[in-house]
Amino acid sequence: MYKRVVEAKLYMDSHYHEKIDLNNISNQANFSKYHFLRLFKHAFGKSPHQYLIETRLLAAKKLLRENNSVKDTCYKVGFESVPSFITLFKKRENITPNEYLKKNKQVEKEKEERPLSFIPNCFVENFGWDKGGGNK
Amino acid sequence: MIAKLSHASIYVLDQESAYDFYINKLGFVEKMKIPIGDDAFWLTVCPRDQKEIEITLMPINRGGMFKAEVAQQLSELVKNGTFGFGVFECTDIFATYQELKDKGVVFTKEPTQEFYGVEAMFKDDSGNWFSLTQFKKEN
C-alpha cells in the first residue's frame, strides 16, 4: 500500500511539469479517488493537489532565480494560465513572480559583489574565508 | 532568551555528493550557495516544509577550514558513523521510510515502536546518522 502511494508522489516529483490528472494517478495506483486522497494526505500531510501546486511553485522559484521569464516559467512548471500562476504565486509567496524575479536579480548582484556578506560572520572569521581560508 | 535555532552544521566528505543526497534523496531545498574558495561553497539546505532553518553542509576537506591532519581525522570519524546530527520528523514514517529506501538511502534501524513514537535511523552519504521519527500525536 505504501509503495503505491510513494510511487504516486514520486511520479508527481518527476512529471509535475506535465498535465497531471489526479484521477489518473489514483487509478494507476489502483485506489479509488477518495481512498487515494485519504492515504496521500495521511502519508505526506497534504492533499495530492496541494503537493503538486507546492512542487510546481518550488520549481517556478528555481526557474525565476535562473532568470526565466514569468511566462516561460509558468508553462515550464505545468501551469496552464499565466494570470492564475501569478495569483497563486502571490497568494503563497506574498510577492508576485515578477517582483520575485527582480528581487532575486538584486540579490544575485549583491552575492557577486559581496559574497561573504551572505554568510554569518562568525563562520567567515573563524574559518578565515575572508583571508582565503584559515587552515585552522 | 534564545528564541530559536537558525543555522546548524553537518560536516560532509564531499559537498557535491552531499548536495545530491540532501536535495535529490531527502527532498530538501537549497537555501544558499556561496563560493568560499578552494572549490568549496557555503551551502545550506532545509527540509521542504521548514524554510526558517538552514542546515550547512560543511566540506571537511575544502575551504581551508582545517589543517590537513585534522581534516583527515575528522573525515575518518564522520565516515565511521561517529556523529549523529539530530532527529527529522515526518508525518507518516512508513511512507517516508519506503520513499527514502526506494531512493537508495541506507537505514541502520527499521521503523520501530518507541515510547515517543515510531523511529527509524539512516545515514547520509558521508556517514552522519539521523533519527527519522513519527512522534505520537500528544508529543
Side-chain angles (χ1 to χ4, degrees):
Chain A
M1 181 183 78
Y2 281 108
K3 200 159 184 65
R4 285 183 281 157
V5 179
V6 167
E7 277 168 5
K9 176 189 176 286
L10 295 180
Y11 181 84
M12 279 194 256
D13 285 344
S14 53
H15 292 79
Y16 64 84
H17 53 284
E18 296 172 9
K19 190 172 179 175
I20 291 185
D21 183 344
L22 295 174
N23 287 324
N24 282 348
I25 293 187
S26 56
N27 284 341
Q28 278 174 15
N30 283 323
F31 293 123
S32 72
K33 187 181 171 187
Y34 173 74
H35 192 44
F36 174 67
L37 289 178
R38 205 170 54 81
L39 284 175
F40 194 98
K41 193 160 186 180
H42 185 266
F44 304 111
K46 53 193 83 178
S47 72
H49 179 70
Q50 277 175 315
Y51 183 78
L52 180 60
I53 295 290
E54 285 176 12
T55 303
R56 284 177 172 167
L57 287 175
L58 265 180
K61 287 199 284 183
K62 186 167 188 283
L63 288 175
L64 290 170
R65 287 198 300 272
E66 290 165 359
N67 272 328
N68 286 274
S69 71
V70 173
K71 189 179 167 191
D72 284 353
T73 299
C74 166
Y75 296 123
K76 277 183 185 172
V77 301
F79 290 112
E80 290 177 351
S81 137
V82 175
S84 60
F85 165 58
I86 292 172
T87 307
L88 198 58
F89 193 99
K90 173 96 198 291
K91 194 176 163 193
R92 302 277 180 134
E93 304 295 328
N94 292 320
I95 187 172
T96 67
N98 204 32
E99 287 165 345
Y100 184 87
L101 188 63
K102 279 184 193 160
K103 192 178 159 193
N104 187 65
K105 271 185 190 166
Q106 182 60 32
V107 170
E108 286 305 315
K109 195 170 162 244
E110 283 174 28
K111 272 187 194 170
E112 256 179 48
E113 290 168 1
R114 295 177 291 110
L116 297 182
S117 68
F118 287 82
I119 303 172
N121 203 43
C122 53
F123 288 97
V124 175
E125 279 184 4
N126 202 37
F127 291 125
W129 292 329
D130 51 345
K131 298 176 186 73
N135 264 337
K136 288 202 177 246
Chain B
M1 181 183 84
I2 293 175
K4 55 183 176 180
L5 178 70
S6 67
H7 292 73
S9 301
I10 300 177
Y11 287 103
V12 299
L13 302 176
D14 180 317
Q15 261 193 329
E16 206 175 315
S17 166
Y19 180 90
D20 179 61
F21 181 85
Y22 285 86
I23 300 291
N24 298 324
K25 289 200 165 75
L26 298 192
F28 284 14
V29 178
E30 179 188 320
K31 293 270 289 188
M32 196 68 79
K33 192 176 182 184
I34 308 277
I36 52 172
D38 192 22
D39 288 333
F41 295 89
W42 172 258
L43 177 60
T44 70
V45 298
C46 67
R48 190 169 145 143
D49 289 338
Q50 195 182 14
K51 296 190 175 65
E52 68 276 13
I53 193 161
E54 294 193 53
I55 298 171
T56 312
L57 304 176
M58 299 285 260
I60 298 171
N61 298 301
R62 292 266 183 273
M65 293 195 291
F66 304 106
K67 282 182 181 167
E69 186 192 343
V70 175
Q72 175 65 28
Q73 288 168 346
L74 186 52
S75 294
E76 287 301 318
L77 288 168
V78 168
K79 212 183 294 177
N80 292 333
T82 309
F83 302 116
F85 175 74
V87 181
F88 289 127
E89 195 178 333
C90 60
T91 316
D92 182 329
I93 195 163
F94 295 102
T96 308
Y97 171 76
Q98 181 73 57
E99 177 184 356
L100 298 184
K101 220 175 156 202
D102 285 356
K103 287 179 173 174
V105 174
V106 176
F107 278 83
T108 54
K109 176 183 176 183
E110 295 200 353
T112 306
Q113 189 70 52
E114 304 291 355
F115 73 90
Y116 44 82
V118 184
E119 179 185 57
M121 289 179 72
F122 68 88
K123 290 194 298 185
D124 73 4
D125 60 309
S126 293
N128 299 296
W129 55 265
F130 303 84
S131 160
L132 175 70
T133 299
Q134 178 186 343
F135 288 102
K136 275 183 187 167
K137 284 265 163 56
E138 60 268 27
N139 286 352

